[in-house]
Amino acid sequence: MNSTDGQPASSVPQGGRLARWTVIAVLCAMLVAACVLGYLGWTSTDTSVPASGYVALVLGVVFSLVVGVGLMALVFYSSRKGYDEPAVLIPEPESDPDDGRGDQR
């Protein structure tokens, strides 16, 4: 669509850029706040974690990654093999009265 001066009209209104930068700024502020809270929570105590706690943490992370990767692999596999296609009704063949078997009721 062209404007009256021959230049193509912008598909994004002028307020759209301001809204986009506002959303980016708010998300960056939330990221900084989360990092600050994480740092304060990590350093606010002098309690030590035993080795079994770190082992449990590592095993939990590894198990979560294995489950996530496995489920995503199943999603891609089922999509590529056509298992995600919508169901199609296949009508049953009508019985022919002249086939010699008669009605099976």
Side-chain angles (χ1 to χ4, degrees):
M1 192 175 214
N2 289 337
S3 64
T4 57
D5 61 355
Q7 297 293 326
S10 174
S11 63
V12 178
Q14 293 299 327
R17 288 186 181 163
L18 177 64
R20 184 181 310 154
W21 282 108
T22 303
V23 168
I24 290 172
V26 168
L27 290 175
C28 286
M30 289 172 62
L31 177 64
V32 168
C35 289
V36 168
L37 285 174
Y39 175 77
L40 291 175
W42 191 273
T43 59
S44 66
T45 181
D46 58 352
T47 305
S48 64
V49 177
S52 61
Y54 285 115
V55 169
L57 179 68
V58 168
L59 289 176
V61 168
V62 168
F63 180 73
S64 297
L65 286 173
V66 167
V67 168
V69 169
L71 289 174
M72 286 305 297
L74 286 174
V75 166
F76 285 117
Y77 176 78
S78 69
S79 176
R80 300 244 174 162
K81 292 292 183 180
Y83 295 129
D84 293 341
E85 299 298 323
V88 176
L89 178 63
I90 301 173
E92 292 184 18
E94 295 184 22
S95 61
D96 189 12
D98 296 332
D99 64 357
R101 290 186 284 170
D103 200 6
Q104 301 277 338
R105 291 185 206 177

